[in-house]
């Protein structure tokens, strides 16, 4: 079974993304912060991690680096309220970023990416 981890503080966006992922036949784990990770999460190789980058107490680039360091994954999608071009460019300068989507998000585009996998 293909697996997705959704990390999103905004409960509405979290639930929307979780539903989208499940409707596309992925197993989904949806959490609101890295604090909710367990040992099993850190041992799972996710097909996709769909995450925000705005979390209190950590800079966006640090957060992405932390995700890349502690979680096994094939694709990393950023879905965030932070739509600044500078941040987007800095995020894409990092390695292994599959996509960056600012709110309001285009669910069809996100769905197309996960379906193509």
């Amino acid at each position: 079974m293909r697996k997705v981890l959704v990390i999103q503080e905004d409960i509405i966006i979290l639930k929307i993304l979780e539903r989208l992922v499940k409707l596309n036949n992925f197993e989904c784990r949806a959490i609101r912060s890295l604090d909710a990770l367990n040992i099993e999460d850190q041992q799972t190789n996710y097909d996709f991690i769909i995450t925000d980058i705005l979390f209190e107490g950590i800079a966006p680039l640090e957060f992405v680096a932390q995700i890349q360091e502690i979680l096994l994954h094939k694709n990393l999608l950023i879905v965030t309220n932070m739509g600044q071009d500078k941040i987007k460019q800095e995020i894409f300068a990092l390695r292994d970023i599959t996509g960056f989507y600012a709110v309001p998000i285009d669910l069809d585009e996100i769905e197309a990416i996960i379906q193509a996998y």
Side-chain angles (χ1 to χ4, degrees):
M1 178 67 117
R2 301 174 305 168
K3 295 180 182 200
V4 175
L5 175 66
V6 177
I7 309 168
Q8 185 64 247
E9 212 171 46
D10 182 312
I11 191 71
I12 294 168
I13 296 173
L14 177 81
K15 292 298 180 189
I16 289 169
L17 291 171
E18 180 181 25
R19 179 133 174 82
L20 176 73
V21 165
K22 287 181 175 178
L23 285 172
N24 283 280
N25 300 314
F26 282 84
E27 186 179 306
C28 183
R29 169 119 160 87
I31 58 175
R32 296 190 62 198
S33 74
L34 286 180
D35 296 338
L37 288 175
N38 61 36
I39 297 297
E40 188 178 313
D41 295 327
Q42 293 178 37
Q43 295 173 342
T44 300
N45 189 0
Y46 291 98
D47 294 293
F48 284 92
I49 295 176
I50 304 174
T51 185
D52 197 347
I53 53 172
L54 292 176
F55 294 94
E56 195 171 321
I58 187 166
L61 293 175
E62 283 179 46
F63 181 81
V64 172
Q66 201 172 13
I67 290 280
Q68 291 178 324
E69 187 178 309
I70 65 173
L71 293 169
L72 297 170
H73 60 282
K74 296 178 181 104
N75 299 282
L76 182 60
L77 296 176
I78 308 295
V79 175
T80 185
N81 281 312
M82 181 180 278
Q84 298 172 353
D85 285 340
K86 182 177 184 282
I87 293 291
K88 186 174 184 176
Q89 289 168 352
E90 290 173 354
I91 294 288
F92 270 120
L94 300 173
R95 60 179 176 77
D96 301 327
I97 305 295
T98 307
F100 185 105
Y101 303 94
V103 172
I105 51 178
D106 183 344
L107 291 175
D108 292 338
E109 200 170 324
I110 293 171
E111 186 172 37
I113 285 176
I114 64 173
Q115 283 177 346
Y117 181 74

